[in-house]
Amino acid sequence: DIRMTQSPSSLSASVGDRVTLTCRASQSIGTFLSWYQQKPGKAPKVLIYGASILKSGVPSRFSGSGSGTDFTLTISSLQPEDFTTYYCQQSSRTPWTFGQGTKVEIK
Amino acid sequence: QVQLQESGPGLVRPSETLSLTCSVSEGSMTNTYWNWIRQPPGKGLEWIGYVYDTESAKYNPSLKSRVTISLDTSRSQFSLILHSVIAADTALYYCARFEPPYHFDSWGPGTLVTVSS
C-alpha cells in the first residue's frame, strides 16, 4: 500500500494567515493526488485534484502543488470557514489511501 | 449534480453481516467507479472498495476476504456487504463517486454503523 503522511497533524493560525499543509507519499504517485476538506459531521469535499487543479466552485485562495512524492496545499488567506480538517488522497494505485489529516485550528 | 444517499441498519451485532445501500439520484451508473469509504469515530478515512459496471470490483486487501460491493443499475443503487463484523468496523460509512481525473467528486452524507451486542 502507498502510505500518505500529512504534516503537521494540527496547526493554529489566525484569520488572514497564509498556511501550507504538506502531504508525502511513500512512493511516487505522479500527480494522482487530491485534497479534501471535511467539516464536522459532514462528508469530505474535494478542493484540489490532479495535485494542482482547483475544483470548480472552490475559492481561489486554495492552491495545490507538487508531484512524485511531495505535495502541498496552500490557503493564501484563511477565512473563518476554513478552520477544519484537510485530507490528502492518492489515486495512483489501489488501495487508494488517505493521509491521516491536518486539523487547522483558530489561534 | 448527482446526489448519493446511504441507507441501512445503524446497529449490527458482532459476527453478523453489515449491509448498506447507496441510492444515486440521476445519471448513468455505467463507466463510473462507485465506492464505499469509512471513517471510525474521530479517525481518518479508509477506502473499502469500488464497483465498476456490474462485473468489476476491487477491494482494499485489508477487508477483501469479508467484503462484496455490487451494482444494480435498474434501481440506480450499489451495495456494500461486510461479513463477520467486529467492533473495529464501527464507523461512518460513505458512498462516493470516483470520476476522472481521479478524485471522489460526489459523496453521500454518510451513515453511522455501530457494531455492538
Side-chain angles (χ1 to χ4, degrees):
Chain A
D1 298 5
I2 298 175
R3 180 176 178 84
M4 307 300 292
T5 303
Q6 291 185 241
S7 60
S9 296
S10 64
L11 67 89
S12 295
S14 301
V15 173
D17 283 354
R18 177 185 181 92
V19 298
T20 297
L21 285 59
T22 297
C23 177
R24 175 165 288 175
S26 61
Q27 59 187 272
S28 179
I29 59 170
T31 57
F32 290 97
L33 190 284
S34 302
W35 289 96
Y36 299 84
Q37 177 192 67
Q38 187 178 32
K39 296 188 176 180
K42 299 292 187 181
K45 167 191 165 185
V46 64
L47 302 174
I48 301 282
Y49 61 92
S52 62
I53 302 171
L54 189 68
K55 184 70 174 180
S56 176
V58 174
S60 60
R61 63 181 179 271
F62 293 94
S63 63
S65 66
S67 66
T69 60
D70 295 310
F71 301 87
T72 60
L73 173 70
T74 299
I75 310 173
S76 61
S77 177
L78 273 170
Q79 298 302 299
E81 60 268 29
D82 300 337
F83 291 93
T84 190
T85 302
Y86 296 85
Y87 294 94
C88 63
Q89 176 257 326
Q90 67 81 20
S91 52
S92 174
R93 55 182 67 89
T94 58
W96 297 326
T97 48
F98 293 84
Q100 82 283 10
T102 293
K103 186 173 184 178
V104 178
E105 298 175 305
I106 299 176
K107 184 182 288 183
Chain B
Q1 176 75 1
V2 68
Q3 293 190 358
L4 290 76
Q5 179 68 56
E6 306 87 352
S7 60
L11 179 65
V12 182
R13 301 199 185 280
S15 79
E16 295 190 346
T17 297
L18 179 161
S19 181
L20 297 175
T21 297
C22 181
S23 299
V24 180
S25 65
E26 61 186 60
S28 172
M29 295 194 74
T30 57
N31 301 316
T32 302
Y33 296 89
W34 300 101
N35 295 260
W36 288 96
I37 295 162
R38 70 180 184 179
Q39 185 172 36
K43 296 188 177 180
L45 298 156
E46 179 183 33
W47 175 73
I48 298 170
Y50 70 66
V51 62
Y52 182 86
D53 288 341
T54 56
E55 297 183 354
S56 177
K58 193 134 191 178
Y59 306 120
N60 193 320
S62 67
L63 297 168
K64 186 176 182 179
S65 63
R66 299 194 289 136
V67 68
T68 302
I69 300 175
S70 58
L71 180 65
D72 186 345
T73 56
S74 66
R75 295 186 174 187
S76 296
Q77 294 177 339
F78 62 105
S79 300
L80 168 70
I81 294 177
L82 183 65
H83 297 287
S84 305
V85 298
I86 60 176
D89 293 317
T90 293
L92 194 56
Y93 284 77
Y94 294 102
C95 57
R97 184 178 74 173
F98 185 80
E99 278 282 281
Y102 308 130
H103 62 286
F104 297 106
D105 73 329
S106 298
W107 297 67
T111 188
L112 178 63
V113 178
T114 301
V115 178
S116 175
S117 55

